[in-house]
Amino acid sequence: GTSVDLILSEITDSPDPANIGQNVTYSFSVTNASTSGSGAFDITSVMDSVSGLTFVGASASQGFTCAGLVGASVTCSGANLPAGQSTEVKVTFMVSGATPSTHELTVKADSGEVITEGSEANNEQTELTSVSAALCTGCIDLVIGGILDTPDPVTDGQALTFITTASNAGDIPTTGMGPVTLRFELPIGVDYVSATATAGFTCTYHDPYAIQVLDYVDCTGDLLPGQGVVATQDPVAQVLG
């Protein structure tokens, strides 16, 4: 029979270099270059060290799903990748204080080696990211890292997740200065279900007009120097029509 050939693309990282408070997103694809379906396989992304990093999330296309961070590894799995098709994968980390000056991500397609391939030489890639851990001196510096949405695109009635990050890139804690509020305005076409946050932040849903339009979530708390917060919103897409 025809052997399967999975090809892992080069990994891109953005931004590079990265500063405290920024989200670094690693993007890559795995392509089935054969003429038959691949069958099930995993894609594993391993960070050399998660010191000074907070895992934000991961997503993949073509029906592949990504689990959370286990140790320093993120695994995305799929039941099949059709011939000639690619799954696009993104893995995102937030940079916080006390980070090393570099981080290296290693990705391997078919990490469990369950698929017999003509060549395994094109299944692994690495990417090195430079990081600045410098805090501003004598100040508070709040930085929004970005928003991750998954899945994208989404269908009517489907649950989805928005993940927002913010950090204090200053050397003064926000404690006593009034709480930090991270506000997420829900887009039209989704219904609020729940929201959570790390770093001791508390999330509250607000629907000022009671019609689920211009509604939003406020997550409030305090941030130490170099500390970040990850806020997760889990709405559901509206069934339209």
Side-chain angles (χ1 to χ4, degrees):
T2 304
S3 63
V4 173
D5 185 18
L6 299 176
I7 300 176
L8 174 63
S9 71
E10 292 186 354
I11 307 167
T12 62
D13 58 339
S14 179
D16 184 2
N19 298 314
I20 285 179
Q22 291 184 309
N23 288 352
V24 180
T25 297
Y26 296 89
S27 303
F28 54 90
S29 63
V30 177
T31 301
N32 179 2
S34 66
T35 57
S36 60
S38 66
F41 67 92
D42 293 340
I43 306 163
T44 301
S45 305
V46 182
M47 186 61 75
D48 58 350
S49 168
V50 292
S51 174
L53 296 178
T54 300
F55 176 67
V56 176
S59 63
S61 63
Q62 292 287 351
F64 278 64
T65 58
C66 300
L69 186 71
V70 178
S73 301
V74 178
T75 300
C76 301
S77 306
N80 182 60
L81 187 60
Q85 298 297 304
S86 300
T87 176
E88 306 289 337
V89 183
K90 295 182 182 295
V91 181
T92 302
F93 291 88
M94 176 178 63
V95 180
S96 55
T99 179
S101 59
T102 61
H103 282 283
E104 185 174 72
L105 186 76
T106 300
V107 177
K108 185 172 183 180
D110 188 27
S111 52
E113 298 184 349
V114 297
I115 296 176
T116 301
E117 297 187 61
S119 172
E120 300 276 351
N122 51 18
N123 284 24
E124 187 169 330
Q125 296 278 358
T126 61
E127 180 64 22
L128 188 69
T129 305
S130 298
V131 178
S132 171
L135 297 172
C136 71
T137 303
C139 68
I140 294 170
D141 183 12
L142 299 178
V143 180
I144 291 290
I147 301 173
L148 175 71
D149 63 328
T150 182
D152 186 356
V154 65
T155 59
D156 290 343
Q158 186 176 10
L160 65 155
T161 299
F162 295 103
I163 302 175
T164 315
T165 64
S167 298
N168 178 12
D171 64 352
I172 297 176
T174 66
T175 309
M177 306 288 183
V180 174
T181 298
L182 180 60
R183 175 168 294 182
F184 182 84
E185 297 179 356
L186 290 164
I188 294 174
V190 301
D191 292 334
Y192 171 81
V193 176
S194 64
T196 58
T198 63
F201 276 56
T202 301
C203 297
T204 305
Y205 173 67
H206 300 272
D207 184 12
Y209 301 102
I211 55 174
Q212 293 188 319
V213 175
L214 302 178
D215 49 343
Y216 58 92
V217 175
D218 278 348
C219 297
T220 58
D222 283 301
L223 292 172
L224 298 173
Q227 187 180 24
V229 56
V230 179
T232 303
Q233 289 81 33
D234 295 303
V236 173
Q238 292 177 358
V239 179
L240 304 176

